[in-house]
Amino acid sequence: MTVGIVMLVHTALDRAEQAARFWAMGGCPVVIHVDVNVPKKKYVAFAKALSDVPTIKFSKRFRCEWGTWSIVAASQAASELMLNEFADVRHVYLASGSCLPLRPVEELVDYLAARPRTDFIESATTADVPWTVGGLDHERFTLRFPFSWKRQRILFDKYVELQRRLGLKRKIPAGLVPHMGSQWWCLTRQTLSAILQGPDRKEYDAYFKQVWIPDESYYQTLARQYAIEIESRSLTLSKFDFQGKPHIFYDDHLQLLRRSDCFVARKIWPHANRLYDAFLTDPAGAMKRTEPNPGKIDRIFAKAVERRTRGRPGLYMQSRFPNEDWENGVTAAPYSVFQGFTEIFENFEPWLAKATGARVHGHLFHPDRAEFAEGQATLNGALSNSAKTRDYNPNSFLANLIWNTRGERQCFQFGPGDNQDINWRVAKDPNAQISVISGAWSVPLFRSNMNFMDIRKEAARLQKIESDHLNVLRSPYAKARIRVWTMAEFVEAPMEPLQGILDEIGLTHTRRLSEVPKLANLTGFGQFLQNLKNQGMHPYLMGDFPVALGPKPAPDPARKPYLVR
Amino acid sequence: MTLRNELQRLPHFFEYYRALGVSHFLVIDNHSDDGTADFLADQPDTSVWWTPSSYRAARFGVDWMTWLQMRYCSGLWSLMLDADELLVYAHHETRSLAELTQWLEAQGRSVFGTMMLDLYPRQPLGHQEYNIGEDPLHCVQWFDSGPYRAQRQLPVHNLWVQGGVRERVFFQNAPQRSPTLNKIPLIKWHHSFAYLNSCHSALPPRLNREFDGPGSDMPSGVLLHTKFLPDIVEKAREDRSRQQHFAEPNAMLGYYDAILDHPCMWTPESVKYEGWQQLEALGLMSSGGWK
């Protein structure tokens, strides 16, 4: 008993010849269908070149067009010839001219001999698979497709549209449940002959002639009628890109293909000499009895499709420049923005770095320069601290910074004294964690040695800027994780907010804060605010500070601000 | 391509692109006097045109080249390069340009975009040896992995990518003048096409728009820019006096002067070039799903 190879060929005849010889040498008879589109002269030369092999035959030629019945007709004619001519064939394997056998022929023969009643054909109902590209799934069985998709696209689309609008539907022959799958199958003589010689073949053929892409559904549906045991997978390894076009294998896929242990792969780049040399030479070494294992290839190619369709979040480059609000990721990784914390706490930055292990920058959008951590002049990715280049395109500055420091959490300080051009971008970024203590910008003014009229003026300016920023943060378009406290609220009970922020950053294990940053001395701050009020400038972002007392200098140590579940 | 006095780079250039499967070279020799003309005449797969006219007046050679492309490249994939540019794309060590372009066509694409990546040496400029025919990457191995900024420009919808080492070293205080780094050197040419501004942008605008969101990674490559070989200092001196480059030549005087000072472009943040996989991981190019 052996395996018969039905081969559909339309280009790269030299490679098809090589593969056919390989199969025949391994003891498998081959029936070749050559597309009528191949010029007669070429066909004759091809047939002549193979005429020295008695187990290679040529079947009646059809003009094949993708998506149409002609491909099924070609495989039917070739299969019939195979079953009639070669009585010892038990399985028939449908392959194309660009298929490459990856394992010695005997291994395939043995594998199938051990499974004499099994049909290997990928076959799933349309409702269950998301394979179809372009939207026609169940409708390919219920509409009519008289126009060519490749040559008459407009008519094709219009006619589909018309049938939909009129509600026209064809009847599926009684008893058939439409199934779809890869067109590369391997069927037993019993199943294949039942399909080809069944009493209803005329009716079924007439029906499938009007189905869209019948080579992916004819055998797949009918095998379900007759088969004893279906393994719903193809023995041919083939991968598809996001448009449903087959991935091509090149010389550099050699190791990957070898490790897949699959029997046959397609499509192969016709000039991949290394692949053809490696796989079509005589088998050396021990025979393997392993199952095909395309898992690794599947994963790698699935990743490639995702890279193509989704891209890498937060990356902006010459071939990835998403339109605003259509980004898959405004930035590449989560980061934290702190506003007002360095004003309230004396040692906030070193404390934060220690508590989280993150890289903690100063004011990245400071008017003089970007205050990188530890006073560095350039950061990962040769990002310069120059304010001029930063302000030339602040969105891009931030995207670059987060992209180039992937793998390390970034935190930075922000405030109303900084360049505000970045506010919308950050607010709309789900990667941003923004924590604001509103009104805290007044603490440096409180401690400064400026004249009071200048302080009043500056306070009014900063309050206006921060108020505008808060409006952005409160807009319905904001997607960042945003927390805002008034300063009065925050200094009243600073532990709980701090713990919440740290938990969300998530770099420390859930445990209670062991060390708290030191609150600045705010004695007299309430009076300072009252003085501003008395001057007619109303500072409201800080919340309500009592005039006489400063806030409690340190939180009550007995209180447990955070309960660990 | 258009070139002038590039004898140093040409032997390696031809070897590199022949290995990638370029079938024919069309070269405009703009009045070289260093033996370039003889070298070109000896190449079997090369057609050479010669002109003493002004490079600048021909819009930096674009007018000359557009005519050649219109006449000889229609219906073919055409690659427009400078002599100091080495094209890198996914799998370029193992797959030829034929494989790349056929795959692009199967995807319905007719354009392949790149970013120019300036390579520089570890030492101050001009302090090394470069032997003719040698791989320039032995001499200039370092690059800036960032920052690169992109924005879209009207009216022809081209992307404008700027940044990198030349900005860091020479244009820190004039980022708007920082060099344009995006190029679309590889196009399946049609006689109605034209490059607009070197090969940074092209007409019709749909060619520029082929790199459009929403958020996918389109296939793209990198042009390794070997401008900073040791002869850069000599070239800067010459260019300074010829003033054939750029739209406002006087604005470039500071740049030439800076190069004449033999600056060291290397910093601890510099990255050593290892291959296209590295460039893809850094987000400087993309295989675009070509596995």
Side-chain angles (χ1 to χ4, degrees):
Chain A
M1 288 299 142
T2 185
V3 181
I5 308 295
V6 167
M7 197 185 262
L8 307 180
V9 174
H10 66 107
T11 58
L13 299 185
D14 52 331
R15 291 307 189 186
E17 182 188 336
Q18 247 183 307
R21 274 185 192 284
F22 180 80
W23 289 116
M25 292 235 302
C28 293
V30 181
V31 172
I32 301 177
H33 172 268
V34 181
D35 195 321
V36 170
N37 290 317
V38 173
K40 186 147 191 225
K41 220 170 139 190
K42 270 188 165 175
Y43 168 69
V44 170
F46 176 58
K48 202 174 155 209
L50 283 170
S51 60
D52 59 323
V53 190
T55 55
I56 295 181
K57 304 251 180 251
F58 290 85
S59 65
K60 182 182 171 214
R61 298 173 68 195
F62 292 82
R63 186 179 300 278
C64 293
E65 186 177 353
W66 182 80
T68 66
W69 172 255
S70 52
I71 302 177
V72 178
S75 62
Q76 283 178 328
S79 301
E80 278 168 339
L81 183 64
M82 173 66 73
L83 296 177
N84 293 338
E85 290 283 322
F86 302 102
D88 60 342
V89 164
R90 172 144 43 197
H91 275 94
V92 175
Y93 197 122
L94 183 66
S96 81
S98 56
C99 284
L100 177 66
L102 303 183
R103 290 169 65 172
V105 178
E106 298 95 294
E107 291 189 14
L108 176 65
V109 173
D110 289 356
Y111 184 86
L112 291 172
R115 296 155 182 83
R117 299 194 167 277
T118 309
D119 294 292
F120 293 89
I121 180 163
E122 192 178 57
S123 156
T125 56
T126 49
D128 302 329
V129 283
W131 291 328
T132 47
V133 173
L136 288 168
D137 39 43
H138 193 69
E139 283 178 319
R140 43 171 94 189
F141 298 104
T142 58
L143 301 182
R144 285 167 203 275
F145 302 93
F147 298 107
S148 160
W149 188 79
K150 284 218 158 140
R151 290 176 287 112
Q152 302 160 302
R153 181 77 63 90
I154 294 174
L155 282 172
F156 181 98
D157 289 343
K158 285 249 153 46
Y159 196 62
V160 165
E161 193 50 43
L162 182 73
Q163 293 176 83
R164 279 178 184 160
R165 200 170 306 157
L166 298 180
L168 293 181
K169 266 196 180 162
R170 303 173 63 202
K171 215 171 143 281
I172 300 171
L176 284 194
V177 183
H179 278 68
M180 280 164 45
S182 160
Q183 76 251 55
W184 309 109
W185 43 253
C186 175
L187 296 175
T188 59
R189 174 181 285 269
Q190 272 194 9
T191 305
L192 187 56
S193 58
I195 292 173
L196 295 174
Q197 296 157 10
D200 300 323
R201 172 163 166 193
K202 249 196 174 142
E203 186 199 344
Y204 293 159
D205 283 11
Y207 168 72
F208 275 101
K209 271 179 193 164
Q210 291 281 327
V211 166
W212 173 230
I213 323 185
D215 52 326
E216 287 181 358
S217 60
Y218 178 78
Y219 296 99
Q220 290 72 4
T221 302
L222 293 181
R224 290 280 169 190
Q225 300 285 306
Y226 304 112
I228 295 170
E229 198 186 329
I230 284 188
E231 273 271 315
S232 181
R233 64 184 162 101
S234 171
L235 290 178
T236 302
L237 172 71
S238 62
K239 307 304 305 171
F240 295 91
D241 68 11
F242 74 109
Q243 295 173 310
K245 298 205 174 91
H247 269 296
I248 293 174
F249 292 110
Y250 304 97
D251 275 345
D252 47 18
H253 290 120
L254 176 62
Q255 293 309 324
L256 205 59
L257 289 174
R258 210 168 240 156
R259 282 200 302 267
S260 75
D261 286 328
C262 290
F263 291 106
V264 177
R266 85 181 293 274
K267 281 170 113 161
I268 308 293
W269 174 247
H271 307 293
N273 295 331
R274 218 174 129 219
L275 291 186
Y276 277 93
D277 290 350
F279 288 113
L280 296 189
T281 46
D282 281 330
M287 298 276 283
K288 285 195 287 185
R289 307 226 170 266
T290 43
E291 274 285 329
N293 174 25
K296 188 174 162 118
I297 287 198
D298 287 347
R299 282 192 296 278
I300 288 177
F301 280 84
K303 257 194 191 151
V305 171
E306 195 184 318
R307 164 69 52 90
R308 177 67 181 78
T309 52
R310 306 261 304 151
R312 289 173 279 180
L315 173 63
Y316 301 80
M317 62 185 285
Q318 72 271 27
S319 61
R320 185 174 197 277
F321 192 68
N323 298 330
E324 194 172 345
D325 298 332
W326 281 94
E327 310 96 341
N328 158 32
V330 180
T331 48
Y335 58 96
S336 305
V337 186
F338 293 92
Q339 181 153 334
F341 287 70
T342 48
E343 286 81 356
I344 300 281
F345 296 109
E346 284 181 357
N347 56 342
F348 180 70
E349 290 178 22
W351 172 83
L352 182 65
K354 203 174 158 200
T356 61
R359 177 120 57 140
V360 180
H361 305 285
H363 287 255
L364 285 183
F365 293 89
H366 192 277
D368 296 340
R369 65 186 167 87
E371 295 177 350
F372 292 141
E374 288 140 31
Q376 284 169 285
T378 52
L379 204 65
N380 305 34
L383 190 65
S384 150
N385 68 352
S386 147
K388 210 156 187 175
T389 34
R390 177 198 65 201
D391 294 343
Y392 183 56
N393 190 338
N395 289 349
S396 162
F397 173 84
L398 180 68
N400 269 315
L401 182 128
I402 301 296
W403 173 259
N404 281 310
T405 54
R406 281 162 298 155
E408 183 192 46
R409 177 92 183 199
Q410 305 295 309
C411 301
F412 64 91
Q413 320 302 324
F414 196 72
D418 294 340
N419 182 347
Q420 303 287 307
D421 290 348
I422 196 72
N423 290 356
W424 269 112
R425 178 58 75 106
V426 175
K428 288 198 289 186
D429 182 359
N431 274 330
Q433 180 202 40
I434 308 173
S435 310
V436 182
I437 305 175
S438 68
W441 43 262
S442 55
V443 177
L445 293 179
F446 158 61
R447 291 183 164 167
S448 73
N449 189 29
M450 290 158 68
N451 290 330
F452 200 77
M453 281 319 284
D454 296 335
I455 290 182
R456 183 198 176 287
K457 213 168 138 194
E458 180 67 358
R461 185 180 79 88
L462 295 178
Q463 176 154 273
K464 170 83 177 60
I465 294 174
E466 186 168 76
S467 157
D468 289 345
H469 185 198
L470 291 177
N471 286 339
V472 170
L473 296 181
R474 283 171 187 142
S475 107
Y477 300 106
K479 293 202 190 90
R481 185 78 186 80
I482 298 166
R483 293 184 176 86
V484 181
W485 302 267
T486 64
M487 190 177 149
E489 206 179 353
F490 193 91
V491 293
E492 188 65 27
M495 289 293 278
E496 210 162 329
L498 283 181
Q499 181 80 56
I501 293 167
L502 293 195
D503 285 353
E504 202 175 277
I505 292 179
L507 293 174
T508 43
H509 301 291
T510 334
R511 62 185 153 91
R512 225 151 53 78
L513 282 175
S514 52
E515 205 180 317
V516 218
K518 191 163 175 278
L519 265 180
N521 182 0
L522 295 176
T523 318
F525 184 69
Q527 187 58 52
F528 168 76
L529 293 183
Q530 186 57 48
N531 290 350
L532 281 174
K533 280 185 196 161
N534 294 346
Q535 292 282 336
M537 188 267 157
H538 194 79
Y540 60 94
L541 289 177
M542 304 77 191
D544 291 325
F545 262 92
V547 179
L549 298 168
K552 277 183 276 181
D556 185 351
R559 199 167 143 236
K560 282 192 179 172
Y562 194 76
L563 284 179
V564 181
R565 265 179 289 182
Chain B
M1 63 174 180
T2 301
L3 51 75
R4 175 187 159 79
N5 290 348
E6 292 286 3
L7 186 61
Q8 266 216 346
R9 284 182 173 84
L10 285 181
H12 177 266
F13 179 93
F14 276 81
E15 191 188 330
Y16 184 86
Y17 285 104
R18 276 186 196 124
L20 287 185
V22 169
S23 53
H24 200 84
F25 297 85
L26 292 82
V27 184
I28 298 160
D29 176 7
N30 186 10
H31 208 11
S32 296
D33 53 15
D34 67 342
T36 293
D38 294 336
F39 175 86
L40 291 173
D42 286 344
Q43 306 307 312
D45 48 5
T46 305
S47 305
V48 187
W49 287 261
W50 182 87
T51 174
S53 313
S54 161
Y55 179 67
R56 223 180 131 207
R59 293 193 307 130
F60 316 110
V62 172
D63 289 349
W64 302 332
M65 286 187 284
T66 305
W67 169 250
L68 293 187
Q69 283 178 310
M70 199 159 102
R71 184 123 167 49
Y72 299 106
C73 299
S74 233
L76 301 174
W77 281 89
S78 134
L79 183 57
M80 181 162 139
L81 295 160
D82 286 341
D84 58 3
E85 292 170 344
L86 300 176
L87 176 67
V88 162
Y89 51 87
H91 312 286
H92 70 96
E93 317 100 324
T94 47
R95 300 183 198 169
S96 69
L97 284 166
E99 274 141 294
L100 174 69
T101 51
Q102 194 156 327
W103 174 74
L104 288 170
E105 266 188 88
Q107 302 254 313
R109 307 186 73 78
S110 52
V111 169
F112 185 70
T114 59
M115 186 181 81
M116 271 212 285
L117 186 66
D118 296 320
L119 297 173
Y120 49 84
R122 175 79 179 72
Q123 306 92 325
L125 289 186
H127 285 190
Q128 304 155 288
E129 279 284 312
Y130 173 75
N131 304 314
I132 293 191
E134 187 189 351
D135 184 349
L137 300 188
H138 294 161
C139 244
V140 284
Q141 301 183 309
W142 298 84
F143 65 93
D144 279 20
S145 65
Y148 297 96
R149 296 180 306 267
Q151 49 189 299
R152 205 165 274 284
Q153 276 189 313
L154 291 173
V156 295
H157 299 274
N158 60 300
L159 269 188
W160 189 22
V161 181
Q162 293 177 286
V165 66
R166 271 185 283 166
E167 173 177 293
R168 172 168 64 77
V169 179
F170 304 112
F171 299 97
Q172 192 66 259
N173 289 313
Q176 68 286 353
R177 194 167 289 146
S178 133
T180 303
L181 300 176
N182 54 296
K183 282 198 167 188
I184 32 179
L186 184 57
I187 294 186
K188 182 162 188 195
W189 204 257
H190 182 268
H191 61 79
S192 67
F193 291 175
Y195 279 121
L196 203 55
N197 164 18
S198 176
C199 59
H200 301 307
S201 54
L203 287 173
R206 72 175 164 84
L207 297 176
N208 304 315
R209 270 198 304 263
E210 277 213 20
F211 292 133
D212 213 351
S216 53
D217 258 32
M218 302 286 181
S220 65
V222 157
L223 286 174
L224 297 177
H225 197 204
T226 63
K227 187 185 184 71
F228 295 106
L229 284 182
D231 65 341
I232 177 72
V233 180
E234 204 36 58
K235 285 211 154 143
R237 189 167 294 137
E238 192 190 327
D239 286 345
R240 193 180 188 281
S241 57
R242 289 179 71 233
Q243 303 210 341
Q244 286 284 306
H245 281 283
F246 304 97
E248 318 156 64
N250 283 328
M252 300 304 296
L253 288 179
Y255 167 71
Y256 292 133
D257 290 341
I259 290 182
L260 292 177
D261 277 348
H262 298 270
C264 182
M265 301 169 83
W266 189 90
T267 70
E269 295 291 344
S270 300
V271 180
K272 194 169 182 181
Y273 178 69
E274 285 162 12
W276 66 266
Q277 292 92 341
Q278 172 199 30
L279 298 183
E280 187 179 26
L282 289 169
L284 301 178
M285 57 171 271
S286 174
S287 59
W290 197 31
K291 203 52 219 182

